[in-house]
PDB file of all heavy atoms in Angstrom:
ATOM      1  N   GLY A   1       0.789  -1.222   0.000  1.00 84.00           N
ATOM      2  CA  GLY A   1       0.000   0.000   0.000  1.00 84.00           C
ATOM      3  C   GLY A   1       0.818   1.266   0.000  1.00 84.00           C
ATOM      4  O   GLY A   1       0.381   2.302   0.500  1.00 84.00           O
ATOM      5  N   GLY A   2       2.046   1.222  -0.560  1.00 88.00           N
ATOM      6  CA  GLY A   2       2.909   2.397  -0.632  1.00 88.00           C
ATOM      7  C   GLY A   2       3.789   2.606   0.585  1.00 88.00           C
ATOM      8  O   GLY A   2       4.536   3.584   0.641  1.00 88.00           O
ATOM      9  N   ARG A   3       3.763   1.714   1.554  1.00 90.00           N
ATOM     10  CA  ARG A   3       4.555   1.878   2.776  1.00 90.00           C
ATOM     11  C   ARG A   3       6.004   1.465   2.536  1.00 90.00           C
ATOM     12  O   ARG A   3       6.276   0.361   2.080  1.00 90.00           O
ATOM     13  CB  ARG A   3       3.955   1.057   3.913  1.00 90.00           C
ATOM     14  CG  ARG A   3       2.643   1.610   4.438  1.00 90.00           C
ATOM     15  CD  ARG A   3       1.971   0.619   5.362  1.00 90.00           C
ATOM     16  NE  ARG A   3       1.471  -0.530   4.603  1.00 90.00           N
ATOM     17  CZ  ARG A   3       1.067  -1.672   5.166  1.00 90.00           C
ATOM     18  NH1 ARG A   3       1.131  -1.820   6.479  1.00 90.00           N
ATOM     19  NH2 ARG A   3       0.612  -2.657   4.428  1.00 90.00           N
ATOM     20  N   MET A   4       6.934   2.354   2.831  1.00 93.00           N
ATOM     21  CA  MET A   4       8.359   2.110   2.656  1.00 93.00           C
ATOM     22  C   MET A   4       9.118   2.622   3.864  1.00 93.00           C
ATOM     23  O   MET A   4       8.647   3.529   4.569  1.00 93.00           O
ATOM     24  CB  MET A   4       8.883   2.810   1.391  1.00 93.00           C
ATOM     25  CG  MET A   4       8.247   2.358   0.096  1.00 93.00           C
ATOM     26  SD  MET A   4       8.788   3.342  -1.328  1.00 93.00           S
ATOM     27  CE  MET A   4      10.529   2.900  -1.393  1.00 93.00           C
ATOM     28  N   SER A   5      10.284   2.055   4.086  1.00 93.00           N
ATOM     29  CA  SER A   5      11.160   2.525   5.155  1.00 93.00           C
ATOM     30  C   SER A   5      12.052   3.639   4.618  1.00 93.00           C
ATOM     31  O   SER A   5      12.784   3.440   3.642  1.00 93.00           O
ATOM     32  CB  SER A   5      12.020   1.368   5.665  1.00 93.00           C
ATOM     33  OG  SER A   5      13.127   1.848   6.390  1.00 93.00           O
ATOM     34  N   LEU A   6      12.004   4.804   5.239  1.00 94.00           N
ATOM     35  CA  LEU A   6      12.850   5.917   4.806  1.00 94.00           C
ATOM     36  C   LEU A   6      14.324   5.605   5.043  1.00 94.00           C
ATOM     37  O   LEU A   6      15.174   5.895   4.200  1.00 94.00           O
ATOM     38  CB  LEU A   6      12.447   7.203   5.537  1.00 94.00           C
ATOM     39  CG  LEU A   6      13.286   8.449   5.211  1.00 94.00           C
ATOM     40  CD1 LEU A   6      13.254   8.761   3.724  1.00 94.00           C
ATOM     41  CD2 LEU A   6      12.797   9.639   6.023  1.00 94.00           C
ATOM     42  N   THR A   7      14.633   4.999   6.190  1.00 93.00           N
ATOM     43  CA  THR A   7      16.027   4.668   6.484  1.00 93.00           C
ATOM     44  C   THR A   7      16.599   3.724   5.434  1.00 93.00           C
ATOM     45  O   THR A   7      17.683   3.941   4.882  1.00 93.00           O
ATOM     46  CB  THR A   7      16.142   4.031   7.880  1.00 93.00           C
ATOM     47  OG1 THR A   7      15.651   4.943   8.853  1.00 93.00           O
ATOM     48  CG2 THR A   7      17.588   3.677   8.195  1.00 93.00           C
ATOM     49  N   ASP A   8      15.873   2.637   5.136  1.00 93.00           N
ATOM     50  CA  ASP A   8      16.331   1.695   4.123  1.00 93.00           C
ATOM     51  C   ASP A   8      16.460   2.362   2.761  1.00 93.00           C
ATOM     52  O   ASP A   8      17.380   2.071   1.989  1.00 93.00           O
ATOM     53  CB  ASP A   8      15.363   0.523   4.029  1.00 93.00           C
ATOM     54  CG  ASP A   8      15.531  -0.466   5.168  1.00 93.00           C
ATOM     55  OD1 ASP A   8      16.483  -0.300   5.951  1.00 93.00           O
ATOM     56  OD2 ASP A   8      14.712  -1.391   5.285  1.00 93.00           O
ATOM     57  N   SER A   9      15.532   3.257   2.446  1.00 94.00           N
ATOM     58  CA  SER A   9      15.558   3.930   1.139  1.00 94.00           C
ATOM     59  C   SER A   9      16.801   4.803   0.999  1.00 94.00           C
ATOM     60  O   SER A   9      17.433   4.832  -0.061  1.00 94.00           O
ATOM     61  CB  SER A   9      14.292   4.775   0.959  1.00 94.00           C
ATOM     62  OG  SER A   9      13.142   3.956   0.926  1.00 94.00           O
ATOM     63  N   LEU A  10      17.158   5.519   2.063  1.00 95.00           N
ATOM     64  CA  LEU A  10      18.360   6.347   2.005  1.00 95.00           C
ATOM     65  C   LEU A  10      19.623   5.491   1.908  1.00 95.00           C
ATOM     66  O   LEU A  10      20.579   5.843   1.207  1.00 95.00           O
ATOM     67  CB  LEU A  10      18.416   7.256   3.228  1.00 95.00           C
ATOM     68  CG  LEU A  10      17.310   8.315   3.313  1.00 95.00           C
ATOM     69  CD1 LEU A  10      17.432   9.118   4.609  1.00 95.00           C
ATOM     70  CD2 LEU A  10      17.351   9.252   2.104  1.00 95.00           C
ATOM     71  N   ILE A  11      19.620   4.345   2.586  1.00 94.00           N
ATOM     72  CA  ILE A  11      20.759   3.434   2.478  1.00 94.00           C
ATOM     73  C   ILE A  11      20.910   2.945   1.043  1.00 94.00           C
ATOM     74  O   ILE A  11      22.012   2.906   0.486  1.00 94.00           O
ATOM     75  CB  ILE A  11      20.584   2.240   3.444  1.00 94.00           C
ATOM     76  CG1 ILE A  11      20.715   2.703   4.888  1.00 94.00           C
ATOM     77  CG2 ILE A  11      21.614   1.153   3.139  1.00 94.00           C
ATOM     78  CD1 ILE A  11      20.386   1.626   5.906  1.00 94.00           C
ATOM     79  N   VAL A  12      19.800   2.568   0.418  1.00 94.00           N
ATOM     80  CA  VAL A  12      19.841   2.100  -0.970  1.00 94.00           C
ATOM     81  C   VAL A  12      20.348   3.204  -1.891  1.00 94.00           C
ATOM     82  O   VAL A  12      21.133   2.952  -2.818  1.00 94.00           O
ATOM     83  CB  VAL A  12      18.447   1.613  -1.416  1.00 94.00           C
ATOM     84  CG1 VAL A  12      18.404   1.397  -2.931  1.00 94.00           C
ATOM     85  CG2 VAL A  12      18.095   0.322  -0.705  1.00 94.00           C
ATOM     86  N   ALA A  13      19.906   4.430  -1.666  1.00 95.00           N
ATOM     87  CA  ALA A  13      20.350   5.544  -2.507  1.00 95.00           C
ATOM     88  C   ALA A  13      21.862   5.728  -2.405  1.00 95.00           C
ATOM     89  O   ALA A  13      22.548   5.904  -3.423  1.00 95.00           O
ATOM     90  CB  ALA A  13      19.630   6.828  -2.101  1.00 95.00           C
ATOM     91  N   VAL A  14      22.395   5.681  -1.197  1.00 96.00           N
ATOM     92  CA  VAL A  14      23.842   5.815  -1.021  1.00 96.00           C
ATOM     93  C   VAL A  14      24.565   4.630  -1.650  1.00 96.00           C
ATOM     94  O   VAL A  14      25.591   4.785  -2.323  1.00 96.00           O
ATOM     95  CB  VAL A  14      24.192   5.942   0.475  1.00 96.00           C
ATOM     96  CG1 VAL A  14      25.703   5.902   0.679  1.00 96.00           C
ATOM     97  CG2 VAL A  14      23.617   7.240   1.041  1.00 96.00           C
ATOM     98  N   GLN A  15      24.050   3.424  -1.451  1.00 95.00           N
ATOM     99  CA  GLN A  15      24.656   2.244  -2.063  1.00 95.00           C
ATOM    100  C   GLN A  15      24.704   2.365  -3.579  1.00 95.00           C
ATOM    101  O   GLN A  15      25.704   2.014  -4.220  1.00 95.00           O
ATOM    102  CB  GLN A  15      23.853   0.990  -1.690  1.00 95.00           C
ATOM    103  CG  GLN A  15      24.082   0.466  -0.292  1.00 95.00           C
ATOM    104  CD  GLN A  15      23.321  -0.826  -0.084  1.00 95.00           C
ATOM    105  OE1 GLN A  15      22.116  -0.900  -0.321  1.00 95.00           O
ATOM    106  NE2 GLN A  15      24.024  -1.858   0.346  1.00 95.00           N
ATOM    107  N   THR A  16      23.628   2.857  -4.161  1.00 95.00           N
ATOM    108  CA  THR A  16      23.567   2.992  -5.616  1.00 95.00           C
ATOM    109  C   THR A  16      24.590   4.011  -6.113  1.00 95.00           C
ATOM    110  O   THR A  16      25.296   3.771  -7.099  1.00 95.00           O
ATOM    111  CB  THR A  16      22.155   3.411  -6.054  1.00 95.00           C
ATOM    112  OG1 THR A  16      21.207   2.466  -5.561  1.00 95.00           O
ATOM    113  CG2 THR A  16      22.045   3.487  -7.561  1.00 95.00           C
ATOM    114  N   ALA A  17      24.672   5.146  -5.421  1.00 95.00           N
ATOM    115  CA  ALA A  17      25.637   6.172  -5.818  1.00 95.00           C
ATOM    116  C   ALA A  17      27.069   5.657  -5.685  1.00 95.00           C
ATOM    117  O   ALA A  17      27.918   5.904  -6.552  1.00 95.00           O
ATOM    118  CB  ALA A  17      25.436   7.428  -4.977  1.00 95.00           C
ATOM    119  N   VAL A  18      27.343   4.918  -4.615  1.00 96.00           N
ATOM    120  CA  VAL A  18      28.688   4.377  -4.419  1.00 96.00           C
ATOM    121  C   VAL A  18      28.995   3.317  -5.475  1.00 96.00           C
ATOM    122  O   VAL A  18      30.104   3.275  -6.028  1.00 96.00           O
ATOM    123  CB  VAL A  18      28.833   3.801  -3.001  1.00 96.00           C
ATOM    124  CG1 VAL A  18      30.142   3.030  -2.862  1.00 96.00           C
ATOM    125  CG2 VAL A  18      28.769   4.916  -1.973  1.00 96.00           C
ATOM    126  N   SER A  19      28.032   2.441  -5.762  1.00 96.00           N
ATOM    127  CA  SER A  19      28.247   1.411  -6.785  1.00 96.00           C
ATOM    128  C   SER A  19      28.626   2.029  -8.117  1.00 96.00           C
ATOM    129  O   SER A  19      29.611   1.639  -8.755  1.00 96.00           O
ATOM    130  CB  SER A  19      26.984   0.554  -6.945  1.00 96.00           C
ATOM    131  OG  SER A  19      26.709  -0.188  -5.788  1.00 96.00           O
ATOM    132  N   SER A  20      27.843   3.017  -8.543  1.00 95.00           N
ATOM    133  CA  SER A  20      28.152   3.698  -9.802  1.00 95.00           C
ATOM    134  C   SER A  20      29.435   4.503  -9.670  1.00 95.00           C
ATOM    135  O   SER A  20      30.221   4.604 -10.615  1.00 95.00           O
ATOM    136  CB  SER A  20      26.984   4.607 -10.190  1.00 95.00           C
ATOM    137  OG  SER A  20      27.186   5.188 -11.452  1.00 95.00           O
ATOM    138  N   GLY A  21      29.673   5.059  -8.489  1.00 95.00           N
ATOM    139  CA  GLY A  21      30.860   5.885  -8.271  1.00 95.00           C
ATOM    140  C   GLY A  21      32.159   5.125  -8.386  1.00 95.00           C
ATOM    141  O   GLY A  21      33.180   5.679  -8.821  1.00 95.00           O
ATOM    142  N   VAL A  22      32.173   3.840  -8.008  1.00 96.00           N
ATOM    143  CA  VAL A  22      33.399   3.049  -8.118  1.00 96.00           C
ATOM    144  C   VAL A  22      33.514   2.372  -9.477  1.00 96.00           C
ATOM    145  O   VAL A  22      34.453   1.607  -9.713  1.00 96.00           O
ATOM    146  CB  VAL A  22      33.488   1.999  -6.991  1.00 96.00           C
ATOM    147  CG1 VAL A  22      33.436   2.670  -5.633  1.00 96.00           C
ATOM    148  CG2 VAL A  22      32.404   0.934  -7.130  1.00 96.00           C
ATOM    149  N   GLY A  23      32.554   2.645 -10.378  1.00 94.00           N
ATOM    150  CA  GLY A  23      32.659   2.159 -11.745  1.00 94.00           C
ATOM    151  C   GLY A  23      31.755   1.014 -12.110  1.00 94.00           C
ATOM    152  O   GLY A  23      31.731   0.600 -13.276  1.00 94.00           O
ATOM    153  N   ALA A  24      30.998   0.449 -11.165  1.00 95.00           N
ATOM    154  CA  ALA A  24      30.109  -0.671 -11.493  1.00 95.00           C
ATOM    155  C   ALA A  24      29.116  -0.248 -12.569  1.00 95.00           C
ATOM    156  O   ALA A  24      28.624   0.884 -12.579  1.00 95.00           O
ATOM    157  CB  ALA A  24      29.367  -1.138 -10.248  1.00 95.00           C
ATOM    158  N   SER A  25      28.805  -1.165 -13.463  1.00 94.00           N
ATOM    159  CA  SER A  25      27.968  -0.855 -14.622  1.00 94.00           C
ATOM    160  C   SER A  25      26.491  -0.942 -14.250  1.00 94.00           C
ATOM    161  O   SER A  25      25.752  -1.817 -14.713  1.00 94.00           O
ATOM    162  CB  SER A  25      28.286  -1.816 -15.767  1.00 94.00           C
ATOM    163  OG  SER A  25      27.638  -1.415 -16.951  1.00 94.00           O
ATOM    164  N   VAL A  26      26.069  -0.041 -13.382  1.00 93.00           N
ATOM    165  CA  VAL A  26      24.681   0.007 -12.929  1.00 93.00           C
ATOM    166  C   VAL A  26      24.154   1.429 -13.070  1.00 93.00           C
ATOM    167  O   VAL A  26      24.920   2.396 -13.078  1.00 93.00           O
ATOM    168  CB  VAL A  26      24.547  -0.463 -11.462  1.00 93.00           C
ATOM    169  CG1 VAL A  26      24.890  -1.925 -11.332  1.00 93.00           C
ATOM    170  CG2 VAL A  26      25.426   0.379 -10.537  1.00 93.00           C
ATOM    171  N   GLY A  27      22.837   1.537 -13.148  1.00 89.00           N
ATOM    172  CA  GLY A  27      22.219   2.845 -13.285  1.00 89.00           C
ATOM    173  C   GLY A  27      21.857   3.456 -11.946  1.00 89.00           C
ATOM    174  O   GLY A  27      21.721   2.753 -10.937  1.00 89.00           O
ATOM    175  N   LEU A  28      21.700   4.766 -11.948  1.00 92.00           N
ATOM    176  CA  LEU A  28      21.352   5.496 -10.727  1.00 92.00           C
ATOM    177  C   LEU A  28      19.852   5.585 -10.498  1.00 92.00           C
ATOM    178  O   LEU A  28      19.417   6.030  -9.438  1.00 92.00           O
ATOM    179  CB  LEU A  28      21.927   6.911 -10.793  1.00 92.00           C
ATOM    180  CG  LEU A  28      23.453   7.032 -10.726  1.00 92.00           C
ATOM    181  CD1 LEU A  28      23.881   8.452 -11.069  1.00 92.00           C
ATOM    182  CD2 LEU A  28      23.955   6.659  -9.345  1.00 92.00           C
ATOM    183  N   GLU A  29      19.065   5.174 -11.502  1.00 91.00           N
ATOM    184  CA  GLU A  29      17.619   5.388 -11.398  1.00 91.00           C
ATOM    185  C   GLU A  29      17.018   4.679 -10.187  1.00 91.00           C
ATOM    186  O   GLU A  29      16.059   5.160  -9.584  1.00 91.00           O
ATOM    187  CB  GLU A  29      16.916   4.943 -12.689  1.00 91.00           C
ATOM    188  CG  GLU A  29      16.761   3.451 -12.910  1.00 91.00           C
ATOM    189  CD  GLU A  29      18.047   2.752 -13.285  1.00 91.00           C
ATOM    190  OE1 GLU A  29      19.022   3.439 -13.654  1.00 91.00           O
ATOM    191  OE2 GLU A  29      18.085   1.512 -13.210  1.00 91.00           O
ATOM    192  N   ALA A  30      17.577   3.505  -9.813  1.00 90.00           N
ATOM    193  CA  ALA A  30      17.043   2.795  -8.651  1.00 90.00           C
ATOM    194  C   ALA A  30      17.208   3.622  -7.382  1.00 90.00           C
ATOM    195  O   ALA A  30      16.314   3.670  -6.532  1.00 90.00           O
ATOM    196  CB  ALA A  30      17.742   1.443  -8.503  1.00 90.00           C
ATOM    197  N   GLY A  31      18.350   4.280  -7.247  1.00 93.00           N
ATOM    198  CA  GLY A  31      18.572   5.128  -6.086  1.00 93.00           C
ATOM    199  C   GLY A  31      17.727   6.387  -6.119  1.00 93.00           C
ATOM    200  O   GLY A  31      17.200   6.816  -5.077  1.00 93.00           O
TER     201      GLY A  31
END
């Protein structure tokens, strides 16, 4: 029903930025 954890979401965003930042071939859209 649209319920999400803000803490987990921010962790995922940082993980995504770091993954792309170190060169991994992933997109930022998920973050």
Side-chain angles (χ1 to χ4, degrees):
R3 289 169 290 167
M4 299 174 66
S5 162
L6 178 58
T7 301
D8 283 353
S9 296
L10 294 177
I11 291 173
V12 168
V14 173
Q15 283 184 307
T16 304
V18 170
S19 294
S20 185
V22 302
S25 189
V26 294
L28 292 169
E29 75 286 345

